[in-house]
Amino acid sequence: DTAVSQTPKYLVTQMGNDKSIKCEQNLGHDTMYWYKQDSKKFLKIMFSYNNKELIINETVPNRFSPKSPDKAHLNLHINSLELGDSAVYFCASSGVWVQSGANVLTFGAGSRLTVL
Amino acid sequence: AQSVAQPEDQVNVAEGNPLTVKCTYSVSGNPYLFWYVQYPNRGLQFLLKYITGDNLVKGSYGFEAEFNKSQTSFHLKKPSALVSDSALYFCAVRALSGSARQLTFGSGTQLTVLP
């Protein structure tokens, strides 16, 4: 059983389109994250949700909208895609927020988005 | 603001030799420190962490790291490298207190172990 699963694994689309990436975790974790890894492999946090509530919202364009229907799911919707959005997007989860300083993140395998 | 520096983009070692991947950090107060490894086309996997206590931390696959508070470093080490250790390694830091609750990653170091 995959602990953190993301779909789709690969996504190729045209500029201006709207797309979504889904993430599900079966670890019973309370906190979920979206990270963006650029072409130079640099990792940057985008969002974090704890029990369906937005906790961290970095300086991400508002074309990106996370949605957490329940604490096991955190989806990422992107409107009006731009060339610069091409990257690998990683979903992750960790345990109880109060103890999150020491908690380990479990990552999904990533979703490679290519915008043409 | 907290930050992590991995000064080497690439580290090459011969199989069987010891390896070191360097990491220094900057954070207000005491840190939580982590190492993660990323194999090609995979997500990051946890290797080890320092929370408190013994400065030498042992982790998965024979890796260890030493926390040095005076040098603000947390270098990753392994006594004898394997070809299968070849991967991208990330150091990360999180502050214990304050609002900087998210994890900040370094830029990554590509480790290549040569047979």
Side-chain angles (χ1 to χ4, degrees):
Chain A
D1 249 1
T2 304
V4 180
S5 58
Q6 301 178 223
T7 54
K9 191 173 175 66
Y10 299 97
L11 189 52
V12 181
T13 188
Q14 300 285 333
M15 276 176 51
N17 284 351
D18 303 338
K19 291 293 178 186
S20 293
I21 306 171
K22 296 185 176 181
C23 178
E24 175 181 6
Q25 55 95 2
N26 62 7
L27 298 167
H29 286 165
D30 289 337
T31 310
M32 296 185 72
Y33 310 78
W34 278 109
Y35 280 83
K36 178 180 180 181
Q37 187 175 46
D38 63 22
S39 58
K40 295 184 177 179
K41 305 295 186 183
F42 186 70
L43 266 172
K44 185 172 171 57
I45 190 166
M46 301 173 69
F47 302 103
S48 176
Y49 270 72
N50 181 57
N51 272 323
K52 304 191 296 176
E53 288 190 30
L54 183 64
I55 300 298
I56 296 171
N57 184 354
E58 291 297 295
T59 51
V60 176
N62 56 16
R63 298 182 295 103
F64 290 78
S65 53
K67 294 239 177 357
S68 184
D70 56 60
K71 74 174 192 177
H73 295 83
L74 180 61
N75 303 323
L76 184 65
H77 188 74
I78 316 170
N79 290 326
S80 304
L81 278 157
E82 300 177 356
L83 293 177
D85 297 333
S86 294
V88 181
Y89 293 85
F90 286 101
C91 178
S93 70
S94 66
V96 177
W97 175 253
V98 170
Q99 302 169 354
S100 68
N103 280 344
V104 168
L105 268 64
T106 301
F107 283 82
S111 297
R112 181 177 295 276
L113 172 65
T114 303
V115 182
L116 303 175
Chain B
Q2 59 192 37
S3 64
V4 177
Q6 294 182 241
E8 300 156 318
D9 291 338
Q10 176 83 39
V11 170
N12 296 328
V13 298
E15 188 174 29
N17 281 3
L19 69 87
T20 298
V21 182
K22 295 180 181 176
C23 171
T24 58
Y25 67 89
S26 173
V27 70
S28 297
N30 293 321
Y32 290 134
L33 292 157
F34 303 80
W35 276 100
Y36 285 81
V37 59
Q38 184 179 22
Y39 297 100
N41 300 313
R42 303 286 296 276
L44 278 72
Q45 297 176 31
F46 170 73
L47 270 183
L48 50 81
K49 67 181 178 182
Y50 171 81
I51 305 301
T52 186
D54 194 349
N55 288 344
L56 184 64
V57 178
K58 293 189 184 296
S60 308
Y61 313 121
F63 283 93
E64 58 188 29
E66 186 163 14
F67 171 62
N68 187 317
K69 188 170 184 178
S70 62
Q71 296 185 3
T72 61
S73 68
F74 190 56
H75 302 330
L76 181 70
K77 300 183 179 188
K78 187 173 181 180
S80 178
L82 300 172
V83 172
S84 57
D85 292 331
S86 298
L88 185 59
Y89 290 80
F90 289 94
C91 182
V93 68
R94 178 189 274 139
L96 267 68
S97 59
S99 61
R101 302 287 291 275
Q102 67 266 38
L103 202 57
T104 298
F105 285 89
S107 55
T109 298
Q110 181 67 49
L111 172 67
T112 301
V113 181
L114 305 168

